[in-house]
Amino acid sequence: MKRNLVTHRISLMSSGIWQRGKEEEGVYGFLIEDIRKEVTRASKLKCCICKKTGASIGCVAPRCKRSYHFPCGLQRECIFQFTGNFASFCWKHRPVQIITSNNYKDSLPCTICLEFVEPIPTYSILRSPCCKNAWFHRDCLQVQAINAGVFFFRCTICNNSDIFQKEMLRMGIHIPEKDASWELEENAYQELLQHYERCDVRRCRCKEGRDYNAPNSKWEIKRCQCCGSSGTHLACSSLRSWEQNWECLECRGILYNSGDFQKPQKHALPNTNNVGITDCLLEESSPKLPRQSPGAQRKDLLRQGSKFRRDTATIIIELGFQIKRKTKKLYINKAKIWNSALDGFRNPNFNPSYSIEVVYVNENDNFGREHPGSKQEFLSLLMQHLENSPLFEGSLSKNLSLNSQALKDNLYYEAGKMLAISLVHGGPSPGFFSKTLFDCLVYGPENTQPILDDVSDFDVAQIVMRLNAATNTADLNSIINEFYNYLELIGCLRIITSLSDKYMLAKDILDYHVIKRVQAPFESFKQGLKTLGVLEKIQSYPEAFYSFFCHKPENLSAKVLSDLFTVHTLSDVQALGFWNSYLQAVEDGKSATTVEDILSFTTGCNSIPPAGFKPTPSLECLPMDFPVGNKCNNCLALPITNTYKEFQENMDFAIRNTLRLEKEESSHYIEH
């Protein structure tokens, strides 16, 4: 069979043979006598690569006399078009992809294997014709084409098939006219016809039993969205509607606590057994795995999911691939950062996937002048305002508050949307979420247990502490009687039969105050966080995002800041020496400024964003008395002075006073 396939491939590309028979005649329509004639003709032709005879394939370019064997052509990076007249091109005349301009400064990942590639079209590197940020290894594309077939081979980003397949055929990717390999197995999806209908939560509340299912009621069974092999009644998991997402505890544990993993080999694709490019072109067979139920398959993928997990920076960079070149200007008044951002994001013409250009305006400027602004400074200021806004409560680790006016104005949704936009567009780490709020986003409120530290209301915290401190049932009943109206209002009254009931009562109070009380704000905030697919990424990679949302970045060191900046050529050597000494003095506490102050003075951010700075911070030395920070370009201009003492004094004075004035302007607005 393999020999016939090889003969078929070579016959398709050979210059002196045509398919004159029907598909079932000869070798896939190539008649035996024609094949013999072509063999005779080719025996007289020498391969220009290996110098042996039998080179039946020739370059179709006019006046090109090169002939070669099919395997030799692949090795020499010739292109064979498996469409139309099945033309072949030598390495000198092969078709190329042309891009009008190359604005890609950094490497981008192959969207199939996720290994980074240089975004320059070559024989081995191809670009999607429909998604300009999608790049591929040729090997990865060919393996995917063989497995997917003509019906499922499409762009991995936008799912376009027509334009994508046409370009890939032109560039020599063989797309077999067959169904996908995963569709060919007999009764492959038989078990999908079976619906799992059983409530598996620890405490089922349905009086009719775990197997009872009443559609369109609170006793309708909802299956786990990950595995489909576990279920719950809507009422048993406090689900408001069937549309709400729900995952079983096993799947949540797998998602959140996935273990160590082996890094996948370069260019390897799932289920390919490392099939090479030549093997793919010569043989269409696809390896098969033992069949599993959809639930078992999904859980197995979840367990393996960590091997696709990368650090937060890589995930955020991937999210950034959604950002288009089209730019949307945001007119921002730094004194009214929240209202300015709200107006900009609510503008009907605003699209979160457009590139953001920040323009600073001042309503007190009678001339209406506009000043170019730093996007990362704007996002940093916005996150600082959001952290201290009335939408959140708590000191360091914050939870959502219950603000009826904010709920009416849909501000919780806007806050979630702002967080998502800031994340994708290169903003700083929020770092102020409580673990409870983060777990609610990942696990769901029904599977999250708040703690006393989540309660910011002093009176409620006192009730919980008194309950936990009760030493007998008499004390416990006394506390319940004292706060009877409150407990009745929140639905936490219960009959006390033993002292241990105090723990359940305290748990109910915490659950109400931290979770149930703010259910409407939470759902609205969650919807906003879905912008640009951010919530989905958080739920897929919770360990990567936990520190991003719940912990402030570590303090910067002099070495980290020094390594962060690139130095312009022809800079003053003495000034650079002063700069290194100044950084060390700042770290040692011998200066009035901090390392974070220097970064904020230069970029507008007091920490390094997870995705890094764009452009990279840089240093230059200019003949002036004081330093200048250009936040739009992330450039710090150092003064050229005669002595180090003068250098340090001028640096301290400029940085300290600039940041003080900015802080005073910000606090002045908050007070008013």
Side-chain angles (χ1 to χ4, degrees), residues 13 33 46 67 74 76 105 154 200 314 392 411 424 428 463 497 549 645:
M13 292 299 158
E33 57 268 28
K46 184 180 291 186
S67 295
L74 290 176
R76 194 63 173 81
K105 297 181 180 179
R154 56 196 64 189
D200 296 307
T314 306
F392 294 90
L411 295 186
V424 177
I463 296 174
T497 59
F549 278 94
K645 182 180 179 181

Side-chain angles (χ1 to χ4, degrees), residues 179-466:
D179 211 342
S181 58
W182 56 85
E183 298 282 348
L184 298 177
E185 188 169 343
E186 186 177 358
N187 296 324
Y189 302 100
Q190 185 72 26
E191 50 278 318
L192 291 181
L193 301 176
Q194 302 173 2
H195 295 282
Y196 188 87
E197 294 184 352
R198 178 179 170 81
C199 179
D200 296 307
V201 297
R202 179 178 297 179
R203 184 178 297 177
C204 179
R205 302 176 185 175
C206 182
K207 296 180 180 179
E208 302 294 331
R210 293 183 177 273
D211 295 323
Y212 181 71
N213 182 27
N216 301 319
S217 73
K218 65 180 181 179
W219 301 119
E220 181 175 4
I221 288 181
K222 167 80 174 178
R223 290 179 291 280
C224 172
Q225 67 171 357
C226 290
C227 67
S229 58
S230 297
T232 178
H233 291 115
L234 298 182
C236 296
S237 294
S238 302
L239 299 178
R240 282 185 162 186
S241 68
W242 196 86
E243 286 78 15
Q244 280 186 258
N245 293 334
W246 179 82
E247 301 91 9
C248 64
L249 290 177
E250 183 180 357
C251 289
R252 289 185 185 279
I254 294 169
L255 282 169
Y256 197 72
N257 298 311
S258 52
D260 295 333
F261 61 93
Q262 296 293 327
K263 186 176 180 180
Q265 294 182 358
K266 187 174 181 179
H267 300 342
L269 292 176
N271 301 347
T272 62
N273 291 339
N274 296 328
V275 180
I277 178 71
T278 306
D279 295 330
C280 289
L281 289 170
L282 295 180
E283 187 171 13
E284 294 182 9
S285 60
S286 303
K288 297 180 180 179
L289 297 176
R291 286 300 302 171
Q292 296 175 309
S293 68
Q297 281 185 336
R298 179 59 174 165
K299 288 184 179 180
D300 186 54
L301 285 174
L302 288 174
R303 290 189 182 94
Q304 299 173 17
S306 61
K307 75 179 180 180
F308 299 108
R309 214 176 60 223
R310 296 159 303 281
D311 59 19
T312 315
T314 306
I315 299 170
I316 293 172
I317 290 171
E318 288 180 5
L319 285 169
F321 291 158
Q322 305 172 77
I323 300 175
K324 302 181 176 71
R325 291 186 180 180
K326 187 172 182 180
T327 302
K328 174 63 180 176
K329 282 187 178 181
L330 291 181
Y331 295 91
I332 302 299
N333 185 342
K334 291 175 71 173
K336 298 180 178 180
I337 194 79
W338 171 261
N339 291 334
S340 300
L342 205 58
D343 291 342
F345 291 155
R346 283 179 167 176
N347 189 309
N349 295 324
F350 178 77
N351 187 327
S353 62
Y354 288 171
S355 296
I356 293 176
E357 180 183 346
V358 175
V359 177
Y360 286 140
V361 295
N362 189 339
E363 61 184 15
N364 297 324
D365 188 344
N366 296 327
F367 297 98
R369 285 170 292 195
E370 300 176 357
H371 305 279
S374 163
K375 179 180 68 173
Q376 288 181 309
E377 179 191 31
F378 158 64
L379 294 175
S380 181
L381 293 172
L382 183 60
M383 290 301 102
Q384 291 175 25
H385 183 95
L386 193 61
E387 179 179 358
N388 299 307
S389 74
L391 301 178
F392 294 90
E393 61 184 20
S395 53
L396 297 177
S397 297
K398 296 179 181 288
N399 290 291
L400 290 173
S401 65
L402 180 60
N403 187 314
S404 57
Q405 187 59 45
L407 192 60
K408 181 180 178 181
D409 294 339
N410 205 27
L411 295 186
Y412 290 99
Y413 170 83
E414 297 295 342
K417 179 180 175 182
M418 288 178 183
L419 270 168
I421 291 174
S422 175
L423 177 68
V424 177
H425 285 265
S429 306
F432 60 85
F433 279 32
S434 70
K435 184 178 186 301
T436 298
L437 176 55
F438 184 79
D439 285 349
C440 284
L441 292 169
V442 176
Y443 280 152
E446 71 277 6
N447 292 308
T448 302
Q449 179 56 52
I451 59 176
L452 184 59
D453 290 343
D454 292 318
V455 179
S456 60
D457 189 307
F458 178 79
D459 295 332
V460 176
Q462 285 294 311
I463 296 174
V464 176
M465 287 189 289
R466 288 182 59 183

Side-chain angles (χ1 to χ4, degrees), residues 514-663:
V514 179
I515 294 179
K516 293 181 180 178
R517 181 177 65 96
V518 295
Q519 187 171 2
F522 174 78
E523 290 299 328
S524 181
F525 179 75
K526 185 178 175 182
Q527 290 299 317
L529 205 54
K530 290 181 179 179
T531 303
L532 296 172
V534 168
L535 181 61
E536 182 182 355
K537 286 291 186 183
I538 295 172
Q539 292 172 338
S540 299
Y541 306 102
E543 287 184 339
F545 282 98
Y546 174 72
S547 59
F548 179 88
F549 278 94
C550 299
H551 296 294
K552 293 293 184 181
E554 296 181 358
N555 291 336
L556 296 171
S557 66
K559 184 179 186 310
V560 169
L561 197 66
S562 177
D563 293 342
L564 181 66
F565 282 85
T566 59
V567 180
H568 285 186
T569 56
L570 302 179
S571 294
D572 186 89
V573 176
Q574 179 175 272
L576 292 178
F578 289 166
W579 161 252
N580 291 324
S581 300
Y582 179 68
L583 287 181
Q584 194 59 53
V586 169
E587 185 177 57
D588 294 341
K590 299 177 181 178
S591 169
T593 62
T594 65
V595 178
E596 286 75 20
D597 289 341
I598 300 173
L599 185 64
S600 182
F601 178 77
T602 307
T603 66
C605 302
N606 57 14
S607 63
I608 302 174
F613 286 104
K614 288 186 179 180
T616 302
S618 60
L619 289 175
E620 60 181 351
C621 302
L622 298 178
M624 55 189 183
D625 294 330
F626 296 97
V628 175
N630 187 335
K631 297 175 182 177
C632 294
N633 297 324
N634 296 331
C635 181
L636 175 60
L638 300 176
I640 297 178
T641 59
N642 293 323
T643 64
Y644 171 73
K645 182 180 179 181
E646 184 183 359
F647 181 90
Q648 179 175 346
E649 289 176 350
N650 292 356
M651 291 287 290
D652 285 348
F653 178 83
I655 294 174
R656 187 173 63 250
N657 285 284
T658 300
L659 297 181
R660 178 180 58 81
L661 290 173
E662 291 177 350
K663 188 175 182 180

